Amino acid sequence: MTTPPPVFSVRDLWKVFGPKAERVPGDPDLTGLDAAELRERTGCTSAVRDVSFDVARGECFVVMGLSGSGKSTLVRCLTRLIEPTSGSLAFDGEDVLSMDRSRLRELRRSRASMVFQHFGLLPHRSVLDNVAYGLEIQGVGKAERRARALDIVAKVGLEGLEDRRPGQLSGGQQQRVGLARALAVDPEVLLFDEPFSALDPLIRRDMQEEVVRLHREEGRTMVFITHDLTEALRVGDRIALMRDGQVVQLGTPEEIVGEPADDYVRDFVRDVPREQVLTVRRAMRPVPSADLTGPAVAPDATIAEAIEASARTGAAVRVVEDGRCVGVVEERDLLGVVAGVKAGEAA
């Protein structure tokens, strides 16, 4: 069976701003300079530096970094809203950098829809007409686009608000309209560029949960840009952590928190509650007996869930997968992992 190509395949991607930017990626004397040295030597800024990754179908891939890390430039390069300086970029195996204007327009309108921080809603149109706008641009008939828009409005929790104008909605409701508009064209990929950073914390959490729910129910591929580590850990299957235009670590939330690649990442995740991210796979030991009893959790259960199960009964917790006990954890193992001690080393 042939493995389908990744949705996005990015190799050796550079985006350099400044005079004669194209000379930077191919010059070893320049690529080794840090950002300040490069600016001083050439007047150029390397917003994205030699970045490579794949986005698998059905994955929620998060690109995270602080302001100026290059994450928003990177996501705009994926659909050539910003033209890369060098490297290769494919969408479903098709070379994005060689797409003509018509093919690019199709990519942006119907295959990879962007959800921005600033909603960009049309103020004179109703919620329903805003959601249907992309379908209208595609030439979909009025009856069909209305039916599809009504379905999407219900899916994102805006039922009953179809006839309101954007000015009559809260910030969270407006962002749901933006999400619904992107979903209406049924894209292969949703690209989120810090979509919730302007929202109040409680509304922001609701929207994060909405994204997780849609991802779980639809299995739609998502690329999500954020500067918020908590948000990245909540929504991401994998996270690319960026600094100064480079990816400093790429891995699952558990790998990022449990195995930081360097001191920068270690400092970044220092305040993360490890027990809410790490799973019992890290803490479990071989099963000492086939007739164990006691509470059971799945291998992907968090350490926090296993601690709660252990505390309720005082017994060791069985780790069960496909009906078979594959390991066991005791409270000391769980607490040891939280403290950064490998399984079996806890006193």
Side-chain angles (χ1 to χ4, degrees), residues 258-270:
E259 303 162 22
D262 59 20
D263 288 342
Y264 178 75
V265 181
R266 192 171 293 108
D267 191 52
F268 218 102
V269 303
R270 181 180 54 195

Side-chain angles (χ1 to χ4, degrees), residues 58-131:
E59 178 178 31
C60 186
F61 185 88
V62 174
V63 183
M64 190 197 75
L66 299 178
S67 178
S69 63
K71 59 189 184 300
S72 290
T73 301
L74 175 60
V75 76
R76 283 167 167 78
C77 284
L78 296 181
T79 56
R80 285 176 57 194
L81 290 172
I82 292 177
E83 286 287 350
T85 304
S86 72
S88 65
L89 171 60
F91 184 90
D92 273 347
E94 182 180 357
D95 183 1
V96 175
L97 300 183
S98 66
M99 287 182 177
D100 60 21
R101 189 170 299 178
S102 173
R103 194 73 176 137
L104 265 182
R105 190 180 302 118
E106 180 189 352
L107 173 66
R108 295 167 184 166
R109 283 183 177 176
S110 60
R111 301 177 72 191
S113 289
M114 184 81 80
V115 181
F116 294 99
Q117 174 183 339
H118 303 292
F119 320 123
L121 304 180
L122 301 171
H124 60 287
R125 288 189 171 220
S126 68
V127 166
L128 196 65
D129 287 342
N130 266 284
V131 173

Side-chain angles (χ1 to χ4, degrees), residues 35-49:
E37 291 170 332
L38 183 66
R39 274 195 303 272
E40 184 177 344
R41 177 92 69 89
T42 67
C44 292
T45 299
S46 53
V48 177
R49 298 171 63 101

Side-chain angles (χ1 to χ4, degrees), residues 16-27 30 38 42-45 85:
V16 183
F17 296 96
K20 299 182 180 178
E22 66 281 354
R23 66 184 165 146
V24 174
D27 187 339
L30 299 179
L38 183 66
T42 67
C44 292
T45 299
T85 304

Side-chain angles (χ1 to χ4, degrees), residues 185-326:
V185 298
D186 195 25
E188 293 176 55
V189 182
L190 280 173
L191 304 172
F192 294 87
D193 188 11
E194 300 209 59
F196 311 141
S197 59
L199 301 177
D200 293 335
L202 290 178
I203 299 174
R204 181 172 185 161
R205 185 177 180 89
D206 285 345
M207 289 304 301
Q208 291 165 358
E209 291 173 353
E210 187 71 16
V211 167
V212 171
R213 181 184 69 81
L214 286 170
H215 179 56
R216 183 176 60 247
E217 291 179 358
E218 297 191 347
R220 195 180 300 270
T221 308
M222 299 178 176
V223 179
F224 197 101
I225 309 301
T226 183
H227 66 271
D228 185 316
L229 178 60
T230 301
E231 184 168 74
L233 295 172
R234 181 171 294 141
V235 305
D237 294 317
R238 286 190 302 151
I239 299 169
L241 179 55
M242 293 189 72
R243 182 189 189 191
D244 295 334
Q246 295 178 297
V247 173
V248 293
Q249 186 167 358
L250 172 58
T252 64
E254 183 169 12
E255 289 167 344
I256 297 286
V257 173
E259 303 162 22
D262 59 20
D263 288 342
Y264 178 75
V265 181
R266 192 171 293 108
D267 191 52
F268 218 102
V269 303
R270 181 180 54 195
D271 296 327
V272 173
R274 291 166 60 87
E275 69 277 8
Q276 295 179 16
V277 178
L278 305 184
T279 67
V280 295
R281 289 185 189 276
R282 289 177 176 268
M284 70 182 191
R285 294 179 283 110
V287 185
S289 168
D291 57 356
L292 276 177
T293 59
V297 297
D300 292 331
T302 64
I303 296 292
E305 291 168 333
I307 289 175
E308 183 179 348
S310 176
R312 281 199 307 266
T313 64
V317 177
R318 294 175 299 131
V319 184
V320 176
E321 186 172 32
D322 297 328
R324 185 172 64 90
C325 186
V326 296

Side-chain angles (χ1 to χ4, degrees), residues 5-28:
V7 178
F8 277 110
S9 183
V10 179
R11 293 290 179 274
D12 310 319
L13 198 72
W14 284 78
K15 177 57 189 177
V16 183
F17 296 96
K20 299 182 180 178
E22 66 281 354
R23 66 184 165 146
V24 174
D27 187 339

